[in-house]
Amino acid sequence: MQMTSLIDYTPLPGELVEFRVPIPVRESAAAAPAHPVPPGHLQENHLRRRLANTRAGHPQAPWLGIHFDLPGRLDTGAMAAALTTWVRRHTTLLTWFAPAGEGFRRHAVAPETAAFVPEPAGTYDTGEAIRDRLRARLVPETDPLHWPPLAACAVLRPTSTTIVLAIDHAHTDGLSMQYLFSELRACYTAELAGTDAELPEVGSYVDFCRLDRERAARIDASAPEVARWTDFLRAGLPAGPVDLGTEPGRMHPSAALTLDVFDAAGSDAFARTCKAAGAGYYAGVLAALGIGGHRLGGPAYHRALTVVHTRDEPRWERAHGWFINTVPVEFPVAGREFADVATAARAAVVRGRELGAVTPMRLLELVPDPRALQADATQTLPLVSYMDLRHAPGSREWADSDVGFLFGEGRAGGLNLWVNRLWDRTYLRIEYPDTPAARDGVRHFAATVRQVMREAAGCEPAAQPMSTTRAQPGGASGT
């Protein structure tokens, strides 16, 4: 499941059909009553940033998307019905938000009123023309301040159809998106057969937001988790191996570099190395990032923020929503072998997960002077995410169905790193500010991290080509 910026996505040409909400349904949704559950911490922060960027005139595209192919020419009526069924299944997608006082108020659309219909949008001779239409459409039509917060379309051809679906980040995350292919396809197949889709029951992200708010309210400034968070942030960030060439507080158009690290055999070998060290694959990834940075002149301790999921009950496992938090990790790398660093990284992740109940937003509510939390405002902690995508339903069919993540064009002030493991390979993707210094530094850093991982796995450290893509000013990254 490759990660691709929309500006670099070129589907095969064909007949474009868009799935839209009928005007009466939109009007009814706009008058939907207020819901008692406020937005979650992540949602509220996302909404504030969106409004602030809009007021400042900073373009953005804060949505997450997916594309995949289905065989044959699509039955658009059946797909519209399947999309309706799928949206009704995940209640967060039935909500929208409105500014209210100093915060935001959630509104909920009645499930039985939700509906989508297919609308022809013309035939396109090039994939670039379809991409340009998507670029113009996806930002305004995934607005969380209106309903629905998603946009969907299909490109029809005689022997195949491409589906594209984008959702505002307030309602989704990377783990949620990897379930979408199998679920929407199951709903579509059921519509064609005149049956109900056989999907497991799921919880509601709206319910999760209520519980999350209640848990957060029980944490006060005296909590040991708050003390550990503040100690970590006040330590600042030592100068890293990558000179980003940025100014404090300034965002730049983002660029992204994608680099294959392993094939399937190499991934298995790396997993065995990590297991022999008493660590998991993710700890090995973090160890490689730390060692790679240190080889390029970086600090003796690796310090970063890492993404952890918050799906702490079975009902959240397949629910659609933004079930993540970021936690700090710190471990020594200087003068140590890979196995020792991986072991230390594993312990750091365990310690970090203990802070998972405290979101950065709740931390800022509890600390009297949030500005004191970052000792060095010229530096930004890198954000690291790892996903083993092999566990997703239908993942063995992704390659044949051209399933992939899509992202809006973004802006960046620091490094965002993803390491994703698939059935046939493991790859590294780094998003960074598009400056001359960062372009050069990130290429060296990625190549060095790859070298460290391949050395640990016992693979030949043969160089492979890297692909660099550049994005225009746009949205926000997320997992």
Side-chain angles (χ1 to χ4, degrees):
M1 200 171 190
Q2 193 70 26
M3 302 169 69
T4 305
S5 297
L6 179 57
I7 194 172
D8 299 306
Y9 175 62
T10 308
L12 293 174
E15 178 185 343
L16 183 65
V17 173
E18 297 173 341
F19 299 99
R20 296 183 176 272
V21 173
I23 291 177
V25 177
R26 283 185 179 271
E27 293 174 345
S28 175
H35 192 282
V37 175
H41 273 116
L42 286 172
Q43 289 181 320
E44 182 176 2
N45 184 61
H46 175 79
L47 295 167
R48 290 186 187 280
R49 289 179 60 189
R50 183 176 183 120
L51 285 183
N53 282 325
T54 299
R55 290 166 181 159
H58 295 157
Q60 56 174 347
W63 51 264
L64 301 181
I66 187 175
H67 65 81
F68 59 87
D69 289 350
L70 294 174
R73 183 178 175 84
L74 190 76
D75 181 327
T76 58
M79 179 53 75
L83 183 61
T84 301
T85 298
W86 182 77
V87 167
R88 291 175 178 177
R89 168 177 165 81
H90 298 290
T91 55
T92 187
L93 301 175
L94 294 167
T95 67
W96 58 275
F97 302 97
E102 297 183 356
F104 297 88
R105 179 177 59 247
R106 186 192 300 270
H107 290 260
V109 176
E112 64 273 12
T113 65
F116 291 84
V117 295
E119 291 189 3
T123 299
Y124 291 78
D125 295 330
T126 68
E128 289 82 0
I130 295 173
R131 178 191 63 205
D132 291 344
R133 183 175 177 90
L134 291 174
R135 292 181 66 196
R137 180 188 171 200
L138 293 188
V139 172
E141 295 204 16
T142 56
D143 187 347
L145 301 181
H146 300 89
W147 191 84
L150 59 90
C153 69
V155 185
L156 281 60
R157 297 174 289 271
T159 59
S160 69
T161 296
T162 298
I163 303 295
V164 176
L165 195 152
I167 305 170
D168 183 79
H169 204 340
H171 299 281
T172 191
D173 60 14
L175 192 57
S176 297
M177 294 302 291
Q178 68 175 307
Y179 293 134
L180 204 156
F181 166 68
S182 63
E183 289 203 353
L184 190 56
R185 186 179 62 170
C187 291
Y188 175 65
T189 301
E191 287 293 334
L192 293 176
T195 61
D196 294 329
E198 296 183 2
L199 294 172
E201 292 187 10
V202 293
S204 167
Y205 182 60
V206 178
D207 291 340
F208 176 86
C209 288
R210 175 180 57 81
L211 293 173
D212 192 46
R213 285 283 189 175
E214 292 173 354
R215 287 192 292 255
R218 292 194 290 269
I219 299 172
D220 59 27
S222 65
E225 297 93 338
V226 174
R228 286 178 54 191
W229 253 117
T230 53
D231 287 346
F232 177 84
L233 293 175
R234 285 189 177 123
L237 178 65
V242 179
D243 177 10
L244 298 180
T246 59
E247 300 172 6
R250 181 182 175 187
M251 302 289 284
H252 293 259
S254 67
L257 179 150
T258 300
L259 175 64
D260 278 352
V261 179
F262 294 124
D263 59 13
S267 297
D268 290 342
F270 185 71
R272 289 192 295 270
T273 297
C274 297
K275 184 177 181 179
Y281 205 98
Y282 189 21
V285 167
L286 290 171
L289 293 173
I291 295 171
H294 186 60
R295 284 187 183 180
L296 294 177
Y301 275 74
H302 182 68
R303 308 183 75 248
L305 297 175
T306 188
V307 176
V308 296
H309 74 77
T310 54
R311 299 171 189 258
D312 55 356
E313 295 183 36
R315 58 175 165 161
W316 313 133
E317 182 180 353
R318 295 282 291 272
H320 210 94
W322 201 355
F323 291 92
I324 67 107
N325 194 8
T326 55
V327 298
V329 291
E330 180 178 19
F331 53 89
V333 296
R336 296 189 172 209
E337 298 295 327
F338 178 86
D340 296 330
V341 179
T343 302
R346 179 185 181 279
V349 171
V350 171
R351 291 193 302 270
R353 285 187 177 276
E354 295 171 354
L355 307 185
V358 184
T359 65
M361 286 67 72
R362 178 58 176 160
L363 183 65
L364 294 178
E365 292 175 350
L366 295 172
V367 177
D369 183 11
R371 293 171 297 179
L373 291 180
Q374 181 62 358
D376 184 359
T378 65
Q379 298 289 333
T380 302
L381 285 166
L383 182 64
V384 184
S385 173
Y386 166 74
M387 286 195 295
D388 186 343
L389 298 168
R390 300 173 303 163
H391 300 305
S395 60
R396 285 196 178 275
E397 302 171 66
W398 286 355
D400 290 338
S401 299
D402 191 30
V403 182
F405 289 119
L406 279 178
F407 292 91
E409 299 130 271
R411 298 179 67 83
L415 297 181
N416 292 310
L417 303 97
W418 295 266
V419 175
N420 292 334
R421 186 179 182 186
L422 301 168
W423 289 104
D424 62 341
R425 72 189 192 282
T426 296
Y427 70 88
L428 165 68
R429 178 181 171 91
I430 305 178
E431 181 188 77
Y432 59 93
D434 189 14
T435 66
R439 284 175 223 145
D440 184 59
V442 166
R443 288 179 65 86
H444 286 296
F445 177 59
T448 304
V449 171
R450 179 181 184 274
Q451 177 80 9
V452 172
M453 293 180 71
R454 292 179 65 81
E455 287 175 359
C459 302
E460 289 293 328
Q464 290 194 3
M466 292 177 284
S467 62
T468 303
T469 57
R470 190 169 304 167
Q472 301 301 317
S477 299
T479 303

